[in-house]
Amino acid sequence: MRLSEVRNIVFPEAFALLSPGLNSTEARIQLLAIGLQESKFWYRAQLGNGPARGFWQFEEGNAKSKGGVWGVANHPKTADRLKQVCRARGVAFDVKTIWAKLETDDVLACCLARLLLMIDARPLPKANERQKAWDTYIFGWRPGRPHPETWADNHAAAVMEILG
């Protein structure tokens, strides 16, 4: 999927399901940068039969591993909002069901990614704060094999797509 399609198709639908305060330039840049970092917006299922799903590559998780879907579904800041999103998307509020649906529902995946960003108490980074954006990504996604060498280009592409 092209970044313009995420911006013009996925974002409007996703942000319409979330509180107005969650739709910001900073959020859009961070979501595009993370999506590029995680899947390049090419892969909805992790390569090599890995456990992650959706453009933002969420793992199912459980109480022990605390993967992304489990974390958002059980966090006090995000659980109720995710329930509302699931209701609107016709998805049962169940970690396994949500995780499975991420492979085919880009709007749900985007909402989940935006909600995961809420868990970080720090404000979202400004467009020119590439290192803070990286730190936000690392905090929320906890990638097993981070690739800092690709972040600068991915972040720059996200900034260009949103700010022009």
Side-chain angles (χ1 to χ4, degrees), residues 22-148:
L22 296 181
N23 183 0
S24 66
T25 297
E26 293 82 7
R28 288 168 179 257
I29 291 169
Q30 193 71 25
L31 289 169
L32 286 182
I34 292 170
L36 285 168
Q37 190 74 11
E38 286 290 315
S39 71
K40 298 178 178 64
F41 291 105
W42 295 346
Y43 310 105
R44 289 179 176 91
Q46 187 175 0
L47 296 176
N49 294 320
R53 297 291 178 266
F55 284 141
W56 287 272
Q57 296 290 285
F58 274 80
E59 293 185 14
E60 179 182 351
N62 54 49
K64 184 177 179 184
S65 71
K66 300 193 187 333
V69 177
W70 187 93
V72 173
N74 287 281
H75 195 281
K77 286 185 177 179
T78 56
D80 288 340
R81 292 173 196 228
L82 181 57
K83 284 177 190 172
Q84 293 171 354
V85 168
C86 287
R87 224 179 351 264
R89 300 301 292 172
V91 176
F93 185 73
D94 168 77
V95 170
K96 185 174 277 315
T97 304
I98 295 166
W99 173 79
K101 191 70 174 165
L102 294 178
E103 197 168 346
T104 59
D105 191 334
D106 299 334
V107 172
L108 177 65
C110 184
C111 288
L112 203 70
R114 180 59 185 98
L115 292 173
L116 180 56
L117 290 172
M118 284 181 58
I119 293 172
D120 190 341
R122 298 171 295 185
L124 287 172
K126 303 288 184 207
N128 64 345
E129 297 179 316
R130 185 174 60 222
Q131 182 60 48
K132 286 183 181 179
W134 171 257
D135 295 342
T136 297
Y137 162 64
I138 294 296
F139 174 85
W141 270 255
R142 299 176 301 173
R145 286 186 230 143
H147 296 282

